[in-house]
Amino acid sequence: MSLNRKNFLRTFGAAFGSVALGGIPSARSSEPQKKPIVLSTWEHGLDANDAAWKVLSNNGKALDAVEAGVRVTESDPENRSVGLGGNPDRDGNVTLDACIMDHTGNCGSVAFLQHIENPISVARKVMEETPHVMLVGEGALQFAEEQGFERKNLLTPGAEKAWKKWLKKSEYKPVINVENHDTIGMLAMDEEGNISGACTTSGAAYKLHGRVGDSPIIGAGLFVDNEVGGACATGLGEAVIRVSGSAMVVEQIRHGATPQEACELVLQRIINNEKNPEELQVGLLAIDKAGNVGAASIHKGFNFALHTGDTPNELVDAKYLLKKQK
Ligand code: ASP
């Protein structure tokens, strides 16, 4: 029997009966936003949204907007979790992951890519210039150079200094809401009502060499289905991959959930699945075809930047599900 909206909401409500919701609920997340719309993770999303808005407000395409938007964060040397200046792995290599998806279901991705400042643009080239979805490591680098991307040293002096300090103890322990987990994920809807998304990161700081998180994985870090909506993720990638986080959010919307409900439902699944949810953070963003947006996280502290046809670019606190924090 297919799940109609009423049934779904009952199930949903029951599942949430025991969950302590905290945070500052965004009033704006409960009503459809006026097109165009762009939303992106964390405070660095404000600058990224500005670049995306230039495209969207000139009647540009959502795909061009999300690429232009997250490139700003990738090229910011002060940002320690994305692109140039990203924290390296435990051996001192900056290795980047990114993916992009458009309203036709086309997608492209790069993982474990080194020496290239804007992996999102390489991911777009994979989507547009190859029959593949994903290129990794040396092959992704070779492809990027063939496409004219310049090879660079991405390890900035500041990131190198912090890594050398970390080496003294060499303790790998993700800290909730601290700079070692802060991907930019962005979703945009253009004037035509088409949705695209992008996600890009240097991954978990001081990770094992070769580790890839959720961010370049279509369905985990990002998913778009233009008939239904889009979602993206930030936080501990392993936890997001284990539930196919972004695809799962979009599927919940397909079955009748609002974007807000869908984000909370998937986070609740992560909380139920993980052994120590109080020690990990995941944040999710979502948008549906009507222009409703949603955002939630496991712990307090996740925020996102939202710019719509109605309201200027601003930072919004996401709802969070667990009150207990380690
Ligand atoms: N999700 C990213 C990863 O696990 C990191 C983050 O969002 O902070 O690689």
Side-chain angles (χ1 to χ4, degrees):
M1 195 186 90
S2 74
L3 201 56
N4 64 29
R5 181 168 166 80
K6 203 168 155 207
N7 281 341
F8 174 83
L9 288 178
R10 202 173 304 130
T11 316
F12 179 85
F16 274 78
S18 58
V19 175
L21 287 175
I24 306 164
S26 161
R28 294 176 50 197
S29 67
S30 58
E31 54 199 51
Q33 308 293 311
K34 186 167 179 270
K35 290 180 292 194
I37 302 165
V38 58
L39 62 160
S40 59
T41 55
W42 305 107
E43 195 174 344
H44 50 221
L46 288 170
D47 288 342
N49 277 8
D50 281 342
W53 192 257
K54 279 197 188 116
V55 178
L56 292 170
S57 58
N58 282 309
N59 221 0
K61 289 190 187 336
L63 178 66
D64 295 326
V66 295
E67 183 190 6
V70 303
R71 278 177 62 98
V72 170
T73 323
E74 288 181 335
S75 294
D76 177 358
E78 301 305 319
N79 186 305
R80 288 287 174 78
S81 53
V82 183
L84 175 69
N87 280 318
D89 64 18
R90 59 195 314 153
D91 302 326
N93 309 291
V94 180
T95 72
L96 304 177
D97 301 332
C99 72
I100 193 161
M101 190 161 190
D102 76 7
H103 67 283
T104 69
N106 266 337
C107 47
S109 157
V110 287
F112 190 50
L113 173 63
Q114 297 184 59
H115 312 303
I116 303 291
E117 181 173 320
N118 295 115
I120 198 66
S121 296
V122 185
R124 183 165 176 179
K125 289 281 183 199
V126 173
M127 174 173 94
E128 291 177 340
E129 307 293 336
T130 81
H132 308 304
V133 166
M134 193 166 192
L135 292 178
V136 306
E138 277 299 318
L141 178 59
Q142 187 186 326
F143 171 74
E145 290 191 299
E146 281 165 13
Q147 291 290 323
F149 289 85
E150 193 192 328
R151 188 188 266 251
K152 277 191 181 167
N153 175 19
L154 302 180
L155 185 63
T156 56
E160 187 173 11
K161 200 171 155 207
W163 166 62
K164 287 196 168 142
K165 193 170 163 212
W166 174 84
L167 273 181
K168 288 186 187 143
K169 275 197 179 167
S170 301
E171 187 190 22
Y172 179 64
K173 204 163 191 307
V175 184
I176 290 166
N177 289 332
V178 178
E179 271 285 12
N180 60 1
H181 272 288
D182 283 350
T183 300
I184 181 153
M186 176 179 276
L187 302 166
M189 178 185 280
D190 59 29
E191 286 286 5
E192 308 248 297
N194 288 323
I195 303 170
S196 290
C199 189
T200 175
T201 192
S202 51
Y206 319 132
K207 60 197 174 186
L208 284 181
H209 186 58
R211 181 265 187 188
V212 170
D214 59 320
S215 305
I217 298 179
I218 297 295
L222 173 72
F223 195 69
V224 173
D225 180 330
N226 200 49
E227 284 185 359
V228 177
C232 62
T234 179
L236 189 67
E238 285 75 2
V240 178
I241 292 171
R242 282 194 271 270
V243 299
S244 300
S246 294
M248 198 60 72
V249 170
V250 173
E251 287 312 293
Q252 300 300 343
I253 298 173
R254 188 192 306 280
H255 289 294
T258 65
Q260 184 64 37
E261 289 165 343
C263 289
E264 292 176 22
L265 190 63
V266 172
L267 287 168
Q268 186 58 47
R269 187 168 300 178
I270 294 174
I271 290 168
N272 294 345
N273 279 359
E274 293 289 327
K275 282 194 199 85
N276 297 308
E278 60 286 340
E279 289 185 10
L280 65 95
Q281 175 68 311
V282 172
L284 296 172
L285 292 186
I287 185 168
D288 69 11
K289 200 58 188 163
N292 295 291
V293 303
S297 57
I298 296 180
H299 295 282
K300 189 176 181 179
F302 174 51
N303 50 24
F304 65 104
L306 177 66
H307 195 164
T308 78
D310 281 325
T311 45
N313 200 14
E314 66 178 2
L315 206 56
V316 182
D317 285 322
K319 263 182 159 181
Y320 59 95
L321 270 62
L322 278 192
K323 281 201 173 145
K324 207 174 119 205
Q325 189 149 340
K326 219 189 148 217

